[in-house]
Amino acid sequence: MLVSETMRHAMRLASPVLYFVGFLLVLAGCAWLLDVTANFIEYESQGAYFDTAFSAAWLLIIGIVLGSISFAFIRLEGTPRPGLVDHVRHCCLLYLSLVILSVAVVSDYVASRTATTYRQEVATPTVDWLLFVIYPVLIDALILLHQRRRFDLASSESLA
């Protein structure tokens, strides 16, 4: 009993770092896959289609991997009815990076409004990174909501 409680507590402490590292590993793996694929085919002639296919593949891969990580955290933490605190704990490093990227987008927008030309080459990738960070946060929120509703349904059936 003492060992399982220690493991649950350790998982609760390690989950933010592990979730963020999982996100970075999937992102790096997809970037590597993009590089290998772009070198294999002629990227210049397939530009827009290739970007769309990469984005779709990235969404699918990160959804599967980070969804699996969220399910594993719920099991290892022993959280029967996950809530908002669990979500914030899992995603706190993603929320921190979201704040940093938001500040970058706003400061870039302000700088571009004071300049005579808009710097599209800086603003667009930063907004893309915002979307890349928001997606794993939404995945974790949906997984935890699913588990919470599943627990509530099981509880209501056992009471009936």
Side-chain angles (χ1 to χ4, degrees):
M1 181 81 167
L2 186 59
V3 174
S4 66
E5 283 298 317
T6 305
M7 185 179 139
R8 287 180 181 165
H9 184 66
M11 278 307 300
R12 286 186 181 129
L13 290 175
S15 64
V17 174
L18 293 175
Y19 197 72
F20 190 71
V21 167
F23 167 70
L24 291 178
L25 286 174
V26 170
L27 193 62
C30 286
W32 175 79
L33 183 65
L34 173 69
D35 185 48
V36 167
T37 310
N39 288 335
F40 183 69
I41 62 172
E42 295 175 9
Y43 177 69
E44 290 80 21
S45 63
Q46 305 288 331
Y49 301 113
F50 188 71
D51 289 342
T52 304
F54 171 73
S55 297
W58 185 84
L59 290 174
L60 182 67
I61 291 169
I62 204 163
I64 291 169
V65 171
L66 291 181
S68 301
I69 289 173
S70 287
F71 273 123
F73 284 162
I74 291 170
R75 300 278 189 245
L76 291 172
E77 290 174 355
T79 311
R81 187 173 188 255
L84 182 63
V85 174
D86 298 309
H87 170 68
V88 171
R89 185 181 62 249
H90 289 176
C91 297
C92 66
L93 294 175
L94 290 171
Y95 279 122
L96 178 65
S97 59
L98 191 64
V99 167
I100 291 169
L101 287 170
S102 298
V103 168
V105 166
V106 169
S107 65
D108 185 55
Y109 177 74
V110 169
S112 71
R113 297 300 285 169
T114 57
T116 56
T117 60
Y118 182 66
R119 297 178 307 170
Q120 179 96 19
E121 67 276 356
V122 176
T124 303
T126 310
V127 172
D128 290 345
W129 279 107
L130 276 172
L131 296 175
F132 277 157
V133 172
I134 289 172
Y135 185 64
V137 169
L138 290 175
I139 288 172
D140 186 68
L142 290 173
I143 296 291
L144 291 176
L145 181 65
H146 170 73
Q147 288 297 106
R148 184 182 181 117
R149 294 215 176 167
R150 191 172 162 195
F151 175 79
D152 290 343
L153 182 65
S155 297
S156 66
E157 287 177 357
S158 67
L159 293 175

